[in-house]
Amino acid sequence: MPQMSETGMLAMVLICLAGFVLYSIVVILPCWIIAKRKNIAPRWWNWVIPLWNLYIAFRIGNGSLKNLFLSLVFFLAGIGAFALQEQAQFFAIAGIVLFVLSLVVGIYVAYNWLRNISILAGRHPMFLPMVMLVIPCVLALAGGALVSQGVISPMEVRGSENLISFVTWIIFMIIALRTPRNKQSEPDFILGKE
């Protein structure tokens, strides 16, 4: 196998970085459209910096940073417990419990964020949580059950999950584009309440 030159390696890193930046912009594009239509969007550069744009989108929906941090703490504690599972059986059980707690808190954070975005977009509070959280989770569980029974292959499930993700993003984009415009500005909306 031929060696890659330094220029080729640099080009590959730049292409990967550009892909990550583009992906992060496309993912939060509906949130940016909703914020622009509601006149609460921060300046344009906040939406193009990777990870920062995810934070801005999270704050537009008044996401709880405390609960998100709590979910992360449970997850990291679960990893630590699994690392110590050879010491005692207690650590394996504690790791499972901590992972479940992390999942429950994470789902609660996602549900509240989607509910707030749905209200901000002028839709029913349960619309986006159902379309972007509940239905994909139920379909993923059904796909996992069908794979375990041998009815369908894991490749088919992976392809259908990608299709479901694309369809939910399209629905989110349609909701964003149909958000009614607001003439009044709320400059302290993003960094407001926690």
Side-chain angles (χ1 to χ4, degrees), residues 37-52:
R37 288 182 169 265
K38 288 298 182 178
N39 225 0
I40 56 173
R43 299 198 185 273
W44 65 269
W45 55 267
N46 285 293
W47 298 98
V48 296
I49 300 171
L51 299 178
W52 180 253

Side-chain angles (χ1 to χ4, degrees), residues 7 11 36 40 58 60 67 72 81-83 96 99 117 136 138 191:
T7 308
K36 277 303 242 187
I40 56 173
F58 188 69
I60 290 279
N67 287 340
L72 181 65
F82 268 117
I96 292 170
F99 279 134
I117 290 289
V138 168
L191 301 175

Side-chain angles (χ1 to χ4, degrees), residues 40-86:
I40 56 173
R43 299 198 185 273
W44 65 269
W45 55 267
N46 285 293
W47 298 98
V48 296
I49 300 171
L51 299 178
W52 180 253
N53 59 8
L54 296 174
Y55 169 74
I56 293 296
F58 188 69
R59 295 305 298 152
I60 290 279
N62 284 330
S64 173
L65 292 175
K66 288 184 266 190
N67 287 340
L68 187 64
F69 180 72
L70 182 65
S71 175
L72 181 65
V73 166
F74 282 146
F75 181 75
L76 293 175
I79 290 175
F82 268 117
L84 296 173
Q85 73 179 351
E86 293 184 6

Side-chain angles (χ1 to χ4, degrees), residues 68-140:
L68 187 64
F69 180 72
L70 182 65
S71 175
L72 181 65
V73 166
F74 282 146
F75 181 75
L76 293 175
I79 290 175
F82 268 117
L84 296 173
Q85 73 179 351
E86 293 184 6
Q87 304 297 324
Q89 183 67 27
F90 167 76
F91 289 115
I93 295 169
I96 292 170
V97 169
L98 288 168
F99 279 134
V100 168
L101 285 173
S102 172
L103 182 66
V104 167
V105 174
I107 288 173
Y108 175 73
V109 168
Y111 166 77
N112 279 330
W113 179 79
L114 286 168
R115 186 175 54 83
N116 291 337
I117 290 289
S118 191
I119 292 169
L120 188 64
R123 300 290 175 250
H124 190 277
M126 288 300 295
F127 183 75
L128 282 177
M130 286 298 289
V131 168
M132 298 188 71
L133 187 67
V134 175
I135 293 173
C137 286
V138 168
L139 291 175

